[in-house]
Amino acid sequence: MRISLNGDATELPEGINVAELLRHLGFDARRVAVERNLNVVPRDRFTDTTVEPEDRIEIVHFIGGGMEPDSDLMGESPSLPPTPPLPDGSVAVMQPDPLVIAGRRFTSRLLVGTGKYKDFEETAQAVAASGAEIVTVAVRRVNVSDPNAPMLTDHLDPKKYLYLPNTAGCYTADDAVRTLRLAREAGGWNLVKLEVLSDPKYLWPNNPETLIAAERLIAEGFEVMVYTTDDPYLCKRFEEMGCVAVMPLAAPIGSGLGVRNPYTIKIIIEEAKVPILVDAGVGCASDAAFAMELGCDGVLMNTAIAGAKDPIRMAVAMRKAVEAGRASYLAGRIPRKLYASASSPLDGLFF
């Protein structure tokens, strides 16, 4: 019989089921998700689901992986590194400052993507250097011709990092929902990043379709972190409909332009009751620090690290920038003034 397998016409024996199909192709059923005629096939139904002539079968996997929500990252608030003693021998007390998303606690406020690196080894090194605990991953078709091709999960330990499936490349709500249903079947994760794009040139968010997708995903039990424009009204609407985090762009994806509109980002932060993370547009460490000094709860980036001349060094810089920006925000900056204000007292001058 003939079917469509990942978009290609394929001949198969009559009466084969999904489990047999995966074995025939050489894939481990635990590492992929299967869709039959636009419907996700639950893993426990692989043996019971017969492939019929003219079926449209999609077999996908993560460019990345995941971990269960009851992992170590779900434990108590992490402790900060020991604080150096002050000159008088005392120690300044710094309280733990975790990033909390949908009840999960994270030490790092830097989230990184896993694309655009020259190879998996560089990806793993950069992610480790960044100190990130959350990495975004895409859902893509497996290479049917090479079931033994290396996967990112072989290089980034899925027990060490929380993998955040995203909908990169989706331009409609239907495509985004379909993608994340497959992602949940592949790994069992509900925490996802939703982005629906409007065009391939600017990669600007398609907010009407994003709203539709978010509503459907939340109704299905997903915990949605949503990418959108830096519009205070829209960000508040996403929060009120149940998104667990809102991620306004700093600038277009991959542009490296930095935070283009700090005024609206500040309004979004002031109005929010869920984490606000700048997503897209960061180009250098000072951009990341600036976003954190505005009061953002975190920064998500990919191109700024992967596209740098030295991604590993840039990953370290971004980690330090996010930490410094957060500390600066919590410390509270001095007010801006038009005139100078001397640091040294004028009393006791001897001239």
Side-chain angles (χ1 to χ4, degrees):
M1 65 176 176
R2 173 168 292 196
I3 68 166
S4 171
L5 177 61
N6 282 7
D8 294 327
T10 304
E11 293 289 339
L12 290 176
E14 294 277 355
I16 192 172
N17 61 42
V18 171
E20 292 168 337
L21 170 62
L22 294 175
R23 285 196 295 269
H24 173 73
L25 296 172
F27 287 103
D28 183 344
R30 297 169 298 180
R31 303 185 70 183
V32 298
V34 179
E35 181 186 73
R36 176 175 177 259
N37 301 327
L38 302 182
N39 294 308
V40 175
V41 181
R43 190 168 284 110
D44 60 4
R45 297 295 306 277
F46 281 1
T47 303
D48 301 333
T49 303
T50 302
V51 180
E52 304 288 348
E54 306 305 321
D55 272 355
R56 176 182 171 183
I57 303 292
E58 297 286 345
I59 305 174
V60 303
H61 68 120
F62 283 116
I63 306 176
M67 69 168 61
E68 296 298 326
D70 61 351
S71 68
D72 291 340
L73 294 182
M74 287 286 288
E76 297 300 319
S77 301
S79 299
L80 295 177
T83 306
L86 297 175
D88 62 2
S90 64
V91 176
V93 177
M94 295 180 65
Q95 297 298 320
D97 181 38
L99 169 63
V100 182
I101 301 175
R104 299 161 172 84
R105 291 176 168 85
F106 304 93
T107 303
S108 175
R109 292 176 178 270
L110 174 60
L111 292 68
V112 298
T114 54
K116 298 187 176 182
Y117 292 95
K118 68 178 182 181
D119 53 36
F120 287 145
E121 183 61 31
E122 183 179 72
T123 306
Q125 291 178 14
V127 171
S130 74
E133 295 162 290
I134 304 175
V135 295
T136 60
V137 294
V139 180
R140 294 292 184 267
R141 287 170 168 169
V142 299
N143 183 351
V144 175
S145 63
D146 186 7
N148 296 316
M151 296 183 180
L152 188 58
T153 45
D154 300 324
H155 297 265
L156 284 179
D157 185 354
K159 295 181 180 179
K160 181 178 180 181
Y161 301 101
L162 190 148
Y163 282 68
L164 186 67
N166 69 22
T167 56
C170 292
Y171 291 86
T172 68
D174 286 343
D175 287 345
V177 171
R178 179 185 170 200
T179 296
L180 292 177
R181 285 172 177 165
L182 277 167
R184 180 158 64 179
E185 182 60 31
W189 309 295
N190 287 323
L191 185 64
V192 296
K193 177 192 171 184
L194 171 64
E195 61 180 79
V196 185
L197 303 175
S198 60
D199 69 279
K201 182 178 181 181
Y202 298 104
L203 301 178
W204 206 251
N206 181 334
N207 286 312
E209 289 291 298
T210 304
L211 285 164
I212 294 170
E215 185 173 36
R216 290 168 60 185
L217 290 166
I218 292 167
E220 293 183 19
F222 285 92
E223 297 168 319
V224 178
M225 299 174 64
V226 62
Y227 165 72
T228 183
T229 47
D230 55 342
D231 180 326
Y233 169 76
L234 269 173
C235 290
K236 193 64 179 177
R237 186 171 174 187
F238 279 120
E239 175 191 322
E240 290 173 345
M241 71 190 304
C243 292
V244 299
V246 179
M247 301 187 291
L249 53 76
I253 293 172
S255 67
L257 293 172
V259 180
R260 291 290 85 196
N261 200 336
Y263 177 69
T264 54
I265 295 291
K266 191 68 176 174
I267 293 175
I268 292 166
I269 293 166
E270 289 178 354
E271 294 294 312
K273 294 182 175 62
V274 298
I276 301 297
L277 297 89
V278 157
D279 179 11
V282 170
C284 60
S286 59
D287 295 336
F290 180 57
M292 295 303 296
E293 287 180 323
L294 288 174
C296 290
D297 295 283
V299 179
L300 193 157
M301 66 181 74
N302 187 179
T303 307
I305 296 176
K309 292 181 179 179
D310 185 340
I312 314 305
R313 188 183 294 264
M314 184 60 79
V316 173
M318 291 300 187
R319 172 175 58 80
K320 293 179 178 180
V322 168
E323 292 171 353
R326 178 65 177 177
S328 176
Y329 168 73
L330 293 176
R333 64 157 292 132
I334 63 171
R336 292 181 172 88
K337 296 186 293 186
L338 180 61
Y339 302 106
S341 176
S343 299
S344 301
L346 299 180
D347 293 342
L349 280 176
F350 56 87
F351 52 85

PDB file of all heavy atoms in Angstrom, residues 253-271:
ATOM      1  N   ILE A 253      13.181  39.317  15.824  1.00  0.00           N
ATOM      2  CA  ILE A 253      13.970  38.120  16.069  1.00  0.00           C
ATOM      3  C   ILE A 253      15.281  38.163  15.287  1.00  0.00           C
ATOM      4  O   ILE A 253      15.288  38.392  14.072  1.00  0.00           O
ATOM      5  CB  ILE A 253      13.173  36.863  15.673  1.00  0.00           C
ATOM      6  CG1 ILE A 253      11.969  36.681  16.607  1.00  0.00           C
ATOM      7  CG2 ILE A 253      14.058  35.618  15.717  1.00  0.00           C
ATOM      8  CD1 ILE A 253      11.019  35.577  16.188  1.00  0.00           C
ATOM      9  N   GLY A 254      16.381  37.956  15.970  1.00  0.00           N
ATOM     10  CA  GLY A 254      17.676  37.877  15.315  1.00  0.00           C
ATOM     11  C   GLY A 254      18.264  39.196  14.865  1.00  0.00           C
ATOM     12  O   GLY A 254      19.331  39.221  14.251  1.00  0.00           O
ATOM     13  N   SER A 255      17.595  40.317  15.178  1.00  0.00           N
ATOM     14  CA  SER A 255      18.062  41.623  14.689  1.00  0.00           C
ATOM     15  C   SER A 255      19.232  42.168  15.487  1.00  0.00           C
ATOM     16  O   SER A 255      20.026  42.962  14.974  1.00  0.00           O
ATOM     17  CB  SER A 255      16.909  42.633  14.714  1.00  0.00           C
ATOM     18  OG  SER A 255      16.523  42.919  16.047  1.00  0.00           O
ATOM     19  N   GLY A 256      19.335  41.829  16.763  1.00  0.00           N
ATOM     20  CA  GLY A 256      20.409  42.357  17.596  1.00  0.00           C
ATOM     21  C   GLY A 256      20.296  43.840  17.891  1.00  0.00           C
ATOM     22  O   GLY A 256      21.289  44.472  18.274  1.00  0.00           O
ATOM     23  N   LEU A 257      19.111  44.398  17.762  1.00  0.00           N
ATOM     24  CA  LEU A 257      18.930  45.838  17.942  1.00  0.00           C
ATOM     25  C   LEU A 257      18.769  46.252  19.399  1.00  0.00           C
ATOM     26  O   LEU A 257      18.784  47.440  19.716  1.00  0.00           O
ATOM     27  CB  LEU A 257      17.708  46.314  17.144  1.00  0.00           C
ATOM     28  CG  LEU A 257      17.833  46.246  15.620  1.00  0.00           C
ATOM     29  CD1 LEU A 257      16.491  46.561  14.960  1.00  0.00           C
ATOM     30  CD2 LEU A 257      18.900  47.227  15.136  1.00  0.00           C
ATOM     31  N   GLY A 258      18.593  45.302  20.296  1.00  0.00           N
ATOM     32  CA  GLY A 258      18.409  45.638  21.695  1.00  0.00           C
ATOM     33  C   GLY A 258      16.986  46.097  21.983  1.00  0.00           C
ATOM     34  O   GLY A 258      16.107  46.034  21.130  1.00  0.00           O
ATOM     35  N   VAL A 259      16.758  46.583  23.203  1.00  0.00           N
ATOM     36  CA  VAL A 259      15.416  47.014  23.611  1.00  0.00           C
ATOM     37  C   VAL A 259      15.093  48.325  22.910  1.00  0.00           C
ATOM     38  O   VAL A 259      15.652  49.373  23.235  1.00  0.00           O
ATOM     39  CB  VAL A 259      15.341  47.185  25.141  1.00  0.00           C
ATOM     40  CG1 VAL A 259      13.937  47.638  25.553  1.00  0.00           C
ATOM     41  CG2 VAL A 259      15.699  45.880  25.841  1.00  0.00           C
ATOM     42  N   ARG A 260      14.156  48.262  21.967  1.00  0.00           N
ATOM     43  CA  ARG A 260      13.825  49.443  21.172  1.00  0.00           C
ATOM     44  C   ARG A 260      12.843  50.370  21.873  1.00  0.00           C
ATOM     45  O   ARG A 260      12.810  51.560  21.601  1.00  0.00           O
ATOM     46  CB  ARG A 260      13.203  49.005  19.822  1.00  0.00           C
ATOM     47  CG  ARG A 260      14.163  48.318  18.879  1.00  0.00           C
ATOM     48  CD  ARG A 260      15.207  49.280  18.324  1.00  0.00           C
ATOM     49  NE  ARG A 260      16.354  49.433  19.211  1.00  0.00           N
ATOM     50  CZ  ARG A 260      17.235  50.406  19.123  1.00  0.00           C
ATOM     51  NH1 ARG A 260      17.108  51.357  18.223  1.00  0.00           N
ATOM     52  NH2 ARG A 260      18.254  50.454  19.957  1.00  0.00           N
ATOM     53  N   ASN A 261      12.000  49.815  22.756  1.00  0.00           N
ATOM     54  CA  ASN A 261      11.001  50.659  23.397  1.00  0.00           C
ATOM     55  C   ASN A 261      10.942  50.369  24.900  1.00  0.00           C
ATOM     56  O   ASN A 261      10.032  49.693  25.377  1.00  0.00           O
ATOM     57  CB  ASN A 261       9.622  50.436  22.763  1.00  0.00           C
ATOM     58  CG  ASN A 261       8.678  51.593  23.032  1.00  0.00           C
ATOM     59  OD1 ASN A 261       8.847  52.323  24.009  1.00  0.00           O
ATOM     60  ND2 ASN A 261       7.684  51.754  22.177  1.00  0.00           N
ATOM     61  N   PRO A 262      11.914  50.869  25.639  1.00  0.00           N
ATOM     62  CA  PRO A 262      11.935  50.594  27.084  1.00  0.00           C
ATOM     63  C   PRO A 262      10.719  51.145  27.814  1.00  0.00           C
ATOM     64  O   PRO A 262      10.329  50.608  28.857  1.00  0.00           O
ATOM     65  CB  PRO A 262      13.223  51.268  27.560  1.00  0.00           C
ATOM     66  CG  PRO A 262      13.558  52.270  26.514  1.00  0.00           C
ATOM     67  CD  PRO A 262      13.065  51.695  25.225  1.00  0.00           C
ATOM     68  N   TYR A 263      10.105  52.193  27.270  1.00  0.00           N
ATOM     69  CA  TYR A 263       8.947  52.791  27.942  1.00  0.00           C
ATOM     70  C   TYR A 263       7.797  51.791  28.018  1.00  0.00           C
ATOM     71  O   TYR A 263       7.221  51.572  29.088  1.00  0.00           O
ATOM     72  CB  TYR A 263       8.515  54.050  27.191  1.00  0.00           C
ATOM     73  CG  TYR A 263       7.284  54.700  27.771  1.00  0.00           C
ATOM     74  CD1 TYR A 263       7.322  55.320  29.026  1.00  0.00           C
ATOM     75  CD2 TYR A 263       6.075  54.689  27.074  1.00  0.00           C
ATOM     76  CE1 TYR A 263       6.187  55.916  29.569  1.00  0.00           C
ATOM     77  CE2 TYR A 263       4.942  55.285  27.608  1.00  0.00           C
ATOM     78  CZ  TYR A 263       4.998  55.886  28.843  1.00  0.00           C
ATOM     79  OH  TYR A 263       3.881  56.469  29.380  1.00  0.00           O
ATOM     80  N   THR A 264       7.458  51.141  26.900  1.00  0.00           N
ATOM     81  CA  THR A 264       6.346  50.190  26.933  1.00  0.00           C
ATOM     82  C   THR A 264       6.724  48.925  27.709  1.00  0.00           C
ATOM     83  O   THR A 264       5.875  48.341  28.389  1.00  0.00           O
ATOM     84  CB  THR A 264       5.893  49.809  25.517  1.00  0.00           C
ATOM     85  OG1 THR A 264       7.016  49.346  24.762  1.00  0.00           O
ATOM     86  CG2 THR A 264       5.260  50.982  24.813  1.00  0.00           C
ATOM     87  N   ILE A 265       7.979  48.498  27.615  1.00  0.00           N
ATOM     88  CA  ILE A 265       8.404  47.340  28.402  1.00  0.00           C
ATOM     89  C   ILE A 265       8.210  47.631  29.891  1.00  0.00           C
ATOM     90  O   ILE A 265       7.743  46.774  30.659  1.00  0.00           O
ATOM     91  CB  ILE A 265       9.871  46.976  28.110  1.00  0.00           C
ATOM     92  CG1 ILE A 265      10.049  46.506  26.657  1.00  0.00           C
ATOM     93  CG2 ILE A 265      10.355  45.908  29.082  1.00  0.00           C
ATOM     94  CD1 ILE A 265       9.413  45.178  26.346  1.00  0.00           C
ATOM     95  N   LYS A 266       8.556  48.840  30.307  1.00  0.00           N
ATOM     96  CA  LYS A 266       8.399  49.225  31.720  1.00  0.00           C
ATOM     97  C   LYS A 266       6.927  49.192  32.137  1.00  0.00           C
ATOM     98  O   LYS A 266       6.588  48.723  33.230  1.00  0.00           O
ATOM     99  CB  LYS A 266       8.981  50.626  31.932  1.00  0.00           C
ATOM    100  CG  LYS A 266       9.121  51.030  33.387  1.00  0.00           C
ATOM    101  CD  LYS A 266      10.182  50.223  34.096  1.00  0.00           C
ATOM    102  CE  LYS A 266      10.382  50.707  35.523  1.00  0.00           C
ATOM    103  NZ  LYS A 266      11.316  49.847  36.282  1.00  0.00           N
ATOM    104  N   ILE A 267       6.044  49.674  31.273  1.00  0.00           N
ATOM    105  CA  ILE A 267       4.608  49.645  31.575  1.00  0.00           C
ATOM    106  C   ILE A 267       4.126  48.204  31.713  1.00  0.00           C
ATOM    107  O   ILE A 267       3.377  47.862  32.633  1.00  0.00           O
ATOM    108  CB  ILE A 267       3.806  50.366  30.470  1.00  0.00           C
ATOM    109  CG1 ILE A 267       4.123  51.864  30.467  1.00  0.00           C
ATOM    110  CG2 ILE A 267       2.306  50.149  30.664  1.00  0.00           C
ATOM    111  CD1 ILE A 267       3.480  52.621  29.332  1.00  0.00           C
ATOM    112  N   ILE A 268       4.555  47.359  30.791  1.00  0.00           N
ATOM    113  CA  ILE A 268       4.157  45.944  30.822  1.00  0.00           C
ATOM    114  C   ILE A 268       4.570  45.309  32.146  1.00  0.00           C
ATOM    115  O   ILE A 268       3.796  44.590  32.772  1.00  0.00           O
ATOM    116  CB  ILE A 268       4.786  45.191  29.629  1.00  0.00           C
ATOM    117  CG1 ILE A 268       4.162  45.671  28.319  1.00  0.00           C
ATOM    118  CG2 ILE A 268       4.614  43.677  29.783  1.00  0.00           C
ATOM    119  CD1 ILE A 268       4.942  45.253  27.081  1.00  0.00           C
ATOM    120  N   ILE A 269       5.800  45.588  32.574  1.00  0.00           N
ATOM    121  CA  ILE A 269       6.306  45.031  33.834  1.00  0.00           C
ATOM    122  C   ILE A 269       5.486  45.530  35.020  1.00  0.00           C
ATOM    123  O   ILE A 269       5.103  44.757  35.907  1.00  0.00           O
ATOM    124  CB  ILE A 269       7.790  45.391  34.012  1.00  0.00           C
ATOM    125  CG1 ILE A 269       8.643  44.688  32.954  1.00  0.00           C
ATOM    126  CG2 ILE A 269       8.274  45.025  35.414  1.00  0.00           C
ATOM    127  CD1 ILE A 269      10.047  45.236  32.845  1.00  0.00           C
ATOM    128  N   GLU A 270       5.203  46.826  35.042  1.00  0.00           N
ATOM    129  CA  GLU A 270       4.477  47.414  36.168  1.00  0.00           C
ATOM    130  C   GLU A 270       3.060  46.865  36.285  1.00  0.00           C
ATOM    131  O   GLU A 270       2.515  46.756  37.388  1.00  0.00           O
ATOM    132  CB  GLU A 270       4.439  48.936  36.028  1.00  0.00           C
ATOM    133  CG  GLU A 270       5.786  49.610  36.256  1.00  0.00           C
ATOM    134  CD  GLU A 270       5.725  51.110  36.076  1.00  0.00           C
ATOM    135  OE1 GLU A 270       4.653  51.614  35.660  1.00  0.00           O
ATOM    136  OE2 GLU A 270       6.739  51.785  36.337  1.00  0.00           O
ATOM    137  N   GLU A 271       2.455  46.498  35.162  1.00  0.00           N
ATOM    138  CA  GLU A 271       1.069  46.030  35.167  1.00  0.00           C
ATOM    139  C   GLU A 271       0.947  44.522  35.362  1.00  0.00           C
ATOM    140  O   GLU A 271      -0.147  44.008  35.600  1.00  0.00           O
ATOM    141  CB  GLU A 271       0.396  46.414  33.835  1.00  0.00           C
ATOM    142  CG  GLU A 271       0.227  47.905  33.630  1.00  0.00           C
ATOM    143  CD  GLU A 271      -0.740  48.505  34.636  1.00  0.00           C
ATOM    144  OE1 GLU A 271      -1.831  47.936  34.817  1.00  0.00           O
ATOM    145  OE2 GLU A 271      -0.392  49.529  35.262  1.00  0.00           O
TER     146      GLU A 271
END
